[in-house]
Amino acid sequence: MNTPIPEEIVIQIFTWLPVKSLMRFKCVAKFFNSLVSESYFTEIHTSHSMIHQGGTKYFLNGTEFYCIADQEKEYGKSSASRLVQIRSSVEFPFYIPVGSNISCVNGLFCIQKPPAILNPSTGEVRYLPKINDDRSLLYYWLGFEPEENKYKVLLTRDGSGLYIKQCVFALGIDISWRKTQSISRCVSYKPGVCINGVIYRFVFHGGTLAIDAFDLKTESFKLIALKNSSNWWYYELIEVRGKLAIINCPKWSCEFFNLRVLRQIQKEQEEWESHIIHYPSMWKHIPPKIIPHVILSCMFCDGQILFILNLESGDLWSRYDIRRQSWRKLEIKGLPTNHRITGIYSYRERLVM
């Protein structure tokens, strides 16, 4: 006689399944459909996704395609060897322009045109309230406030020098944009980053580059001044082990990157920790002076910084381990032919917005 599996064991098993499998089970029975929608289940599933080995996903957008990729070990090679395998293409009811500013927080993505929040794990899209303003440049940043468990979108409306307005929209709470603290700093088009409830982004203040820190809980801004920022074109903001960092590839350098990690913020001055990252030996065939011009993306993921170089011969992926100060090459398989990656973002799967 077949003995049915206890319900609590079934639920425990399901909390470890990938989102794609759970979406299929929703169509099988009402029990599975309601289970996947329960808040306690989604919270447990998200926590398991954060600790599951190999749970890191990549969202890639390129010339006329979007796809999801996994990182995994490659059979027949050492355990240290890794590859990125394209798993599936993604279809959305819109086109993300090449070079579009995208922000990613906890598996959710905020895109600019059209302004929307998307979940690549489930394919769900939620459009943001429309702004009837044809005279302004609109910039959107997604952030997460951990204490209140809220997702908020920061919107800057740049009226081409005539005005700069700041608005906030809390997902699942607000029905329209709310005006917040007024600041007159011009925003850089470069992507920002959200760390511990604060959105960091590059701005221009008094003609020089600086960083705006927007606290999502208090909805207030703090300016972080930068010294020697004349080479700002090659600056990128990233998160490194829960701290804000700036990575810079000097155009005059032939052998290294500069990495500055923000250790703490004082009332009048910030303390930065500097690191030198030397180029890996696998880049020896690349003329060093062109490296600053071909870096497609860099981001911190699973304790390492991922660099992607956009070369004519193809995209070159390399990972730098900060603790070990060592490089490792990543291979990518399954990329559509005659297409190039224009943006890459790491995330962990989640079930709900």
Side-chain angles (χ1 to χ4, degrees), residues 168-237:
V168 174
F169 181 82
L171 299 184
I173 300 175
D174 293 330
I175 59 175
S176 61
W177 294 98
R178 295 181 288 105
K179 293 183 179 179
T180 185
Q181 180 184 357
S182 177
I183 60 170
S184 59
R185 298 186 278 271
C186 295
V187 178
S188 168
Y189 70 91
K190 286 179 170 289
V193 61
C194 181
I195 305 172
N196 299 326
V198 179
I199 294 176
Y200 297 95
R201 59 184 187 172
F202 284 125
V203 294
F204 292 99
H205 179 68
T208 60
L209 188 71
I211 297 175
D212 248 347
F214 179 71
D215 189 303
L216 289 162
K217 184 176 183 179
T218 62
E219 297 186 359
S220 59
F221 292 89
K222 176 180 174 58
L223 185 69
I224 301 176
L226 294 177
K227 297 180 180 179
N228 303 321
S229 59
S230 58
N231 197 36
W232 65 269
W233 181 262
Y234 301 106
Y235 282 19
E236 296 291 342
L237 289 175

Side-chain angles (χ1 to χ4, degrees), residues 35 44 65 96 112 158 161 172 205 209 237-238 243 251 258 291 298-299 323 332:
L35 174 64
I44 296 175
F65 81 97
I96 303 177
Q112 310 289 309
D158 188 339
H205 179 68
L209 188 71
L237 289 175
I238 62 172
K243 295 182 179 181
K251 62 181 179 181
N258 287 319
I291 288 180
C298 61
M299 63 182 181
R323 183 174 61 85
I332 180 170

Side-chain angles (χ1 to χ4, degrees), residues 72-117:
E72 61 181 28
K73 293 182 180 180
E74 187 173 10
Y75 294 107
K77 294 189 178 183
S78 67
S79 60
S81 179
R82 299 278 183 173
L83 66 85
V84 173
Q85 177 69 52
I86 303 297
R87 291 298 183 192
S88 61
S89 60
V90 184
E91 294 185 1
F92 296 111
F94 49 75
Y95 168 69
I96 303 177
V98 173
S100 178
N101 187 359
I102 300 177
S103 55
C104 173
V105 180
N106 296 344
L108 297 182
F109 291 76
C110 178
I111 62 173
Q112 310 289 309
K113 295 180 180 181
I117 306 297

Side-chain angles (χ1 to χ4, degrees), residues 270-283:
E270 291 71 38
E271 182 179 347
W272 296 85
E273 179 182 296
S274 297
H275 301 266
I276 298 295
I277 302 177
H278 291 276
Y279 290 177
S281 58
M282 65 190 78
W283 292 3

